Amino acid sequence: MKGHPDIIAALNDLLTSELTSIDIYFVQSKILRNMGYNKLYEQLNHEMEDEQGHATRVIERIIFLEGTPDVSKREPFTVDTDVKTMFENDLKYEHVVRDKLIKIIDLCFKHHDYVTKEAVEPLLQDTEEDHIDWLETQLSVIDEIGIKNYLAEKL
């Protein structure tokens, strides 16, 4: 089925973000494991796997719409070893991904592609209810109990 070029382009833009998220969470999980924060390693490894699932769904949809997935692009990001800064940057990035998902849903309404809309809605829900919510909660706990107490719980 030939998809609308605007939707395919937006899906490829989202794919770049999802692939970048995989890279971010991959590197961060390894840094945190090396620092001894095994609970945070497990969580960020889980986040990476979620992002792999998102990327897979986006790739499959692009292919179905007879587009070509652009898997070569990544957005620039900084590797940081400060956990609070890491989470703050991740939260900003997840908001960018959420905005892209909302844009795609709007495009789907505009071009009457309701199946693609239904395909990306679970990604939006996961981004908001899992990724963003978890990061906001962690940052709130850090602010409440302090980074040293927070990290002591994550060994």
Side-chain angles (χ1 to χ4, degrees):
M1 177 186 147
K2 189 72 173 160
H4 193 280
D6 291 348
I7 292 175
I8 293 170
L11 286 170
N12 264 315
D13 185 43
L14 175 63
L15 180 59
T16 298
S17 295
E18 297 292 359
L19 294 172
T20 303
S21 293
I22 293 167
D23 293 346
I24 291 169
Y25 288 128
F26 175 74
V27 170
Q28 289 177 346
S29 70
K30 301 309 178 201
I31 289 169
L32 292 168
R33 183 175 65 186
N34 186 62
M35 293 170 71
Y37 300 120
N38 293 323
K39 291 179 183 177
L40 290 177
Y41 159 75
E42 289 172 11
Q43 180 63 40
L44 292 186
N45 193 59
H46 162 77
E47 296 296 329
M48 178 193 70
E49 291 169 353
D50 277 357
E51 299 297 355
Q52 288 171 328
H54 291 189
T56 298
R57 289 171 131 177
V58 173
I59 288 168
E60 289 170 346
R61 191 66 195 161
I62 292 168
I63 291 169
F64 179 80
L65 295 174
E66 298 179 22
T68 302
D70 185 353
V71 295
S72 65
K73 291 183 184 173
R74 298 296 187 280
E75 295 172 1
F77 64 93
T78 337
V79 176
D80 206 308
T81 58
D82 177 78
V83 173
K84 185 175 182 185
T85 303
M86 207 183 271
F87 290 168
E88 289 168 341
N89 291 338
D90 292 349
L91 182 59
K92 288 177 195 171
Y93 197 73
E94 290 292 350
H95 280 280
V96 168
V97 172
R98 182 191 64 192
D99 293 346
K100 289 181 181 190
L101 286 160
I102 291 168
K103 176 187 171 190
I104 291 169
I105 291 169
D106 289 344
L107 277 172
C108 289
F109 276 115
K110 179 180 175 183
H111 297 293
H112 308 287
D113 184 349
Y114 302 109
V115 177
T116 299
K117 178 189 88 58
E118 288 182 18
V120 299
E121 282 177 332
L123 305 182
L124 176 61
Q125 183 175 358
D126 189 47
T127 299
E128 288 183 341
E129 293 179 5
D130 183 19
H131 303 249
I132 290 174
D133 182 61
W134 185 83
L135 288 163
E136 288 175 342
T137 300
Q138 301 318 294
L139 289 167
S140 176
V141 170
I142 290 168
D143 286 343
E144 189 172 317
I145 67 172
I147 191 68
K148 288 182 182 181
N149 291 328
Y150 174 82
L151 292 174
E153 293 290 320
K154 302 303 177 181
L155 296 171

